Amino acid sequence: MMSLCTRAGELALSITEHCSTVHELPSKLGEAIEILEGRLSDIARQCQDLSEKGTLSRIWQSGEHRVELERLNTNLGDAIKDFQITSSINLQQDIQRISNNVERVRLNELPKQPDLSGQRDRYMPDSRTGDVEKICDWISTSTELVLNVHGSAGVGKSTLALHLSDELRSVGRLAASIFLGAFPAATSGPETIVKMLAHEIGSIHSRAIPKILEAIDACHGTSLEVHLKKYILQPLQSLDYPRPLIIIVDAIDEWRDHPTFIQTLAHVNSSTAVVKFIITSRLGPHASRLPDVDRVSMRAYFLRPVSTDVIKAYFNKHFRAVRWRNGRKPTAEEVNRLADLSGGSPSMGIDCRVVAFTPF
């Protein structure tokens, strides 16, 4: 119903804007506006009648409610066409803009992940070239649906996931990415996360929005399998890309409902021509003992610690930005010792740095 209101409101603004830019108004404009006003009032009255129905009534009659909204939307479209014919005003470009705006409004009703800018560690160039190449090879040649990148806490899984997300988006291969470790995902059920991914897909690939909006209308009260297919698979299929797009889900094991989500992925095992998933977690799929994990087409990839040389470069980069007490900077020997203490884990390296030195 909100989309109907938005569409009608933008139509009124478009007519006003158009009339303010022409030197001579059409002779039948007043008659056309009067007819349009009457039809819009009738549509508004019917919307009011629908909104006054009780919540339970709308739930039990959700199918009829949806059909009625579609009928009203068609009536609005017919009213706009008749207005153009009577008034001799062509609003076709405005109508397309209105339609696009309405679609965006409805898309933005879906849950969104929070703004994470500035909260993620930056990827050090060439620090995981080998890992990136192997993952790209999996994307290009594998038949599995899921790649589970797993490794110990602090080894750099989230940094790698962010880097992959940026790289895949730059070449048009990213469907969506979501970082569950950065917000309280324990409060978000599987349907919410699927809708969050759908919002990401629509934000990146606008041609997928119509199918996502169909899912909004069709998925109320349906299973997670239906949500996955209608919110994610069908919108991506509508893009008709020659290669699969990639969905990245980082820190999936920090999410309470990840076993249910992973189990449901088995229903799209045969869709690897359309979509593939890269998920990160601390444990591999079998070590985590997820129920029915063998039903999901999945490959495990163990993320090893980075090399000592990478850790040294990481320290030196951060140390250059520090104002050291009395101008004393760590020596090469001290940096080497910290690199050894870090065990190849950048986050452990930060802890070592804080303990070993006390800058201003």
Side-chain angles (χ1 to χ4, degrees):
M1 198 172 296
M2 182 183 293
S3 63
L4 276 170
C5 297
T6 303
R7 191 178 177 191
E10 295 228 11
L11 171 65
L13 290 174
S14 295
I15 294 172
T16 303
E17 182 180 350
H18 180 87
C19 292
S20 67
T21 59
V22 296
H23 297 293
E24 184 177 350
L25 296 177
S27 59
K28 293 188 176 182
L29 178 61
E31 176 187 348
I33 289 178
E34 186 176 343
I35 294 171
L36 178 62
E37 183 180 5
R39 296 176 71 173
L40 291 179
S41 297
D42 184 57
I43 291 171
R45 178 185 57 76
Q46 294 180 67
C47 286
Q48 180 67 27
D49 291 343
L50 279 178
S51 67
E52 288 177 355
K53 289 185 177 181
T55 303
L56 285 177
S57 175
R58 291 201 300 271
I59 291 174
W60 288 116
Q61 299 176 358
S62 59
E64 296 177 13
H65 187 78
R66 184 166 61 251
V67 169
E68 188 66 15
L69 285 175
E70 290 172 355
R71 183 185 65 78
L72 291 173
N73 197 46
T74 300
N75 289 349
L76 177 57
D78 291 341
I80 294 171
K81 290 177 185 177
D82 292 344
F83 171 81
Q84 292 183 97
I85 293 171
T86 305
S87 67
S88 301
I89 292 178
N90 186 353
L91 297 174
Q92 196 57 45
Q93 290 184 344
D94 290 332
I95 290 171
Q96 184 60 51
R97 176 175 59 81
I98 291 169
S99 176
N100 292 340
N101 288 346
V102 169
E103 288 184 345
R104 285 288 179 181
V105 167
R106 293 197 66 199
L107 179 72
N108 286 331
E109 292 173 2
L110 292 174
K112 297 176 283 292
Q113 66 172 323
D115 180 7
L116 305 177
S117 57
Q119 300 180 32
R120 311 293 299 281
D121 286 334
R122 290 186 177 182
Y123 173 80
M124 283 191 63
D126 303 322
S127 60
R128 287 201 177 272
T129 301
D131 295 307
V132 172
E133 289 176 350
K134 290 174 183 176
I135 292 171
C136 289
D137 183 63
W138 175 84
I139 291 172
S140 300
T141 64
S142 76
T143 58
E144 294 103 350
L145 177 71
V146 180
L147 180 68
N148 178 199
V149 178
H150 62 98
S152 59
V155 77
K157 300 183 296 295
S158 293
T159 302
L160 176 61
L162 180 61
H163 175 64
L164 290 171
S165 176
D166 290 342
E167 291 296 303
L168 289 168
R169 183 163 188 170
S170 70
V171 296
R173 296 294 301 278
L174 182 71
S177 61
I178 187 169
F179 303 97
L180 298 178
F183 65 102
T187 62
S188 302
E191 290 182 10
T192 299
I193 298 301
V194 168
K195 291 175 182 177
M196 217 174 270
L197 288 170
H199 181 269
E200 291 287 306
I201 291 170
S203 298
I204 298 172
H205 305 277
S206 59
R207 288 194 297 115
I209 293 178
K211 282 293 182 182
I212 296 172
L213 300 187
E214 287 182 16
I216 293 175
D217 293 333
C219 285
H220 178 72
T222 60
S223 67
L224 183 59
E225 175 187 351
V226 172
H227 275 68
L228 189 66
K229 289 182 177 179
K230 289 190 175 294
Y231 272 105
I232 293 178
L233 184 58
Q234 291 179 7
L236 294 180
Q237 286 174 328
S238 72
L239 298 173
D240 197 27
Y241 284 161
R243 295 175 294 179
L245 295 179
I246 311 302
I247 291 176
I248 297 175
V249 183
D250 181 37
I252 195 168
D253 56 336
E254 296 182 28
W255 173 33
R256 177 195 59 199
D257 294 315
H258 74 277
T260 303
F261 179 82
I262 292 175
Q263 279 180 289
T264 307
L265 291 180
H267 295 289
V268 291
N269 274 340
S270 60
S271 302
T272 55
V274 178
V275 63
K276 292 183 176 182
F277 292 80
I278 296 175
I279 64 176
T280 71
S281 61
R282 284 163 292 190
L283 296 177
H286 296 289
S288 60
R289 297 181 179 178
L290 292 175
D292 297 326
V293 70
D294 290 332
R295 295 178 55 212
V296 181
S297 175
M298 183 184 303
R299 182 188 301 184
Y301 183 85
F302 178 60
L303 191 64
R304 300 180 181 280
V306 295
S307 69
T308 302
D309 287 340
V310 169
I311 290 293
K312 291 178 184 177
Y314 175 84
F315 279 138
N316 287 323
K317 176 184 176 182
H318 285 277
F319 286 161
R320 283 194 293 270
V322 174
R323 293 170 53 212
W324 296 97
R325 180 176 296 165
N326 299 323
R328 180 189 178 280
K329 298 180 179 180
T331 65
E333 181 180 351
E334 289 169 331
V335 171
N336 290 343
R337 188 171 74 251
L338 285 177
D340 290 337
L341 289 172
S342 74
S345 169
S347 64
M348 288 297 293
I350 292 176
D351 293 340
C352 294
R353 184 184 71 194
V354 171
V355 171
F357 299 98
T358 310
F360 280 104

